[in-house]
């Protein structure tokens, strides 16, 4: 029962090109399952984490912006 569910992908990878896994593998599966896929996603590499293994402020800001858009999409779909 995945159809019409809203999804936002978040992932980590060894380098910036690993975002392609989302584009080439994960998004097509979600589309096949007829999910509503937000066109943006949160992606971080090892350089986006500090010594305490926490994401940097840059990633937090990006995530908050995307989550704000995500909330807007959900509200529009529900109304």
């Amino acid at each position: 029962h995945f159809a019409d569910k809203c999804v936002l992908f978040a992932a980590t990878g060894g380098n910036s090109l690993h975002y392609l896994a989302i584009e080439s593998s994960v998004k097509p599966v979600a589309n096949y399952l007829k999910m509503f896929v937000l066109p943006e996603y949160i992606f971080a590499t090892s350089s986006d984490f500090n010594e305490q293994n926490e994401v940097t402020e840059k990633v937090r800001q990006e995530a908050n912006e995307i989550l704000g858009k995500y909330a807007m999409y959900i509200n529009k779909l529900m109304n």
Side-chain angles (χ1 to χ4, degrees), residues 9 11-27 41-45:
F9 295 112
T12 61
N15 67 51
S16 59
L17 291 178
H18 284 121
Y19 82 92
L20 292 170
I22 296 171
E23 291 292 330
S24 64
S25 298
V26 181
K27 278 188 175 181
Y41 45 84
I42 302 164
F43 184 80
T45 64

